[in-house]
Amino acid sequence: MELHDIWFVLIAVLWTGYFFLEGFDFGIGVLTKLLARDRKERRVLINTIGPVWDGNEVWLLTAGGATFAAFPDWYATLFSGFYLPLLVILLCLIVRGVAFEYRAKRPEEKWQTNWEHAIFWTSLIPAFLWGLAFGNIVRGVKIDADMEYVGSLGDLLNPYAVLGGLLTLFLFTFHGAVFAGLKTVGDIRERAGWLALRLGLVTAVLALGFLIWTQAEHGDGLSLLAMIIAVVALAGSIGAIAMGREGWSFALSGLTITAAVAMLFLALFPNVMPSSLNDAWSLTVTNASSTPYTLKIMTWCAGIATPVVMLYQGWTYWVFRKRIGTQHIADAH
């Protein structure tokens, strides 16, 4: 296996880690309006991700940086063609971070309510746009012979990509509801399980439609295997939450995300951005990669730094592993 193939796999792993962790992160943000009944319950939900949400976004920064260094032509074409959706995602992540930090800075109800609205919308919008973006990457976009995107914004709003966006929105919200059930106690835990079960059924319909469409248009034997794992894991996650086994359900919903992302990258390889105009103009792991020397230096750095980061983040989740409820939240002044 060549170094550019290895880095394609590593970038796939980084995106998988980001969607696994930030998925329930986005889901909790959406649930602040769908699940929480009052301000205290919203504080409970926000506190479940309070210690970890910013660490989860490290995976996005690393995935973007790795793409820039390992596949500069992929990075350039991606960010020029998907400029507006990615700009909206970036602005949402900025506002979302500010909302988490500033929400409790003042006691006024209007102040806190406005920031809670911001948390909801800046979680929902990226959850949809990431699926839209990856749907277009797998489907292929208008790239010319100079590796430049020549399509329009309207080209990105095609049925396949929109279905992908709806899938990631519901899958992340389901993942977040399962996480809420895993991290809370009392009435909010019971309602999280009830909502997760219903979200899971909708997610299953969307997943079947999108994954079967992907397999039919772009798949091979390995992507079919990944699709089967994703579907079985999602069914298992729904069954586990119905039995009140939040831990198993969360592990299986995470496996669903992992297998689904793996399927997309397997369907994509050896391309990194297919051209819908001419297959010969597609960006591949070969023509879009950096020099072998650059990839070699990156491999050494990643081999040293990645285990340290993963151990530290795992330790963080272990420290903040306990459940919380409204009884742990002080009354607002």
Side-chain angles (χ1 to χ4, degrees):
M1 182 180 286
E2 300 289 338
L3 280 177
H4 50 67
D5 297 328
I6 293 174
W7 272 98
F8 180 86
V9 174
L10 291 176
I11 289 171
V13 170
L14 290 171
W15 280 110
T16 301
Y18 174 66
F19 288 141
F20 179 95
L21 297 172
E22 193 82 331
F24 70 77
D25 207 329
F26 286 142
I28 290 293
V30 174
L31 292 173
T32 57
K33 296 294 184 184
L34 301 183
L35 178 62
R37 290 177 173 172
D38 53 35
R39 176 155 291 111
K40 183 171 282 192
E41 289 192 350
R42 281 192 287 274
R43 290 169 66 189
V44 170
L45 291 176
I46 292 171
N47 284 0
T48 62
I49 60 173
V52 298
W53 68 266
D54 47 357
N56 294 344
E57 293 185 355
V58 170
W59 289 79
L60 173 61
L61 298 175
T62 309
T67 304
F68 172 76
F71 300 99
D73 290 326
W74 182 15
Y75 182 92
T77 305
L78 176 66
F79 274 79
S80 61
F82 293 48
Y83 181 82
L84 185 57
L86 294 179
L87 177 61
V88 172
I89 290 173
L90 177 60
L91 292 175
C92 284
L93 295 180
I94 293 171
V95 173
R96 188 168 180 267
V98 173
F100 281 131
E101 299 296 335
Y102 274 69
R103 176 189 167 278
K105 295 296 184 182
R106 289 170 56 178
E108 292 89 347
E109 182 177 347
K110 183 177 181 180
W111 171 272
Q112 296 190 3
T113 300
N114 288 337
W115 286 120
E116 288 165 1
H117 288 320
I119 290 172
F120 171 77
W121 287 109
T122 56
S123 299
L124 184 148
I125 293 171
F128 173 78
L129 289 180
W130 280 127
L132 182 79
F134 271 83
N136 277 293
I137 291 173
V138 174
R139 175 180 178 269
V141 292
K142 293 181 179 179
I143 300 174
D144 64 12
D146 296 322
M147 298 185 179
E148 294 181 0
Y149 178 76
V150 293
S152 64
L153 178 62
D155 294 326
L156 303 180
L157 300 175
N158 55 82
Y160 175 77
V162 170
L163 179 59
L166 291 174
L167 173 58
T168 52
L169 174 59
F170 276 87
L171 180 56
F172 291 169
T173 307
F174 168 70
H175 194 41
V178 174
F179 181 76
L182 181 65
K183 288 289 292 179
T184 58
V185 294
D187 181 56
I188 192 171
R189 175 188 177 188
E190 295 177 2
R191 284 187 283 113
W194 179 89
L195 182 58
L197 181 59
R198 282 145 185 81
L199 286 169
L201 295 176
V202 177
T203 303
V205 174
L206 294 172
L208 283 173
F210 181 76
L211 297 181
I212 291 174
W213 193 345
T214 302
Q215 179 63 28
E217 295 288 337
H218 313 285
D220 56 15
L222 289 176
S223 64
L224 177 61
L225 176 61
M227 185 189 78
I228 293 172
I229 294 173
V231 172
V232 172
L234 180 57
S237 181
I238 296 170
I241 199 64
M243 294 185 292
R245 303 295 297 272
E246 294 100 341
W248 279 104
S249 182
F250 181 73
L252 289 170
S253 66
L255 179 58
T256 302
I257 293 174
T258 300
V261 176
M263 179 190 180
L264 293 181
F265 276 92
L266 286 168
L268 188 61
F269 186 81
N271 295 319
V272 292
M273 281 193 77
S275 172
S276 60
L277 300 178
N278 189 327
D279 288 341
W281 297 344
S282 297
L283 302 183
T284 69
V285 293
T286 303
N287 65 20
S289 69
S290 294
T291 64
Y293 181 75
T294 300
L295 297 177
K296 183 177 180 180
I297 297 298
M298 289 175 61
T299 303
W300 278 104
C301 294
I304 296 171
T306 303
V308 176
V309 173
M310 294 183 69
L311 285 172
Y312 175 78
Q313 191 164 23
W315 175 78
T316 303
Y317 276 91
W318 174 255
V319 169
F320 295 101
R321 67 189 181 278
K322 292 185 178 180
R323 296 177 182 265
I324 61 173
T326 53
Q327 67 270 29
H328 300 116
I329 304 296
D331 291 330
H333 295 292

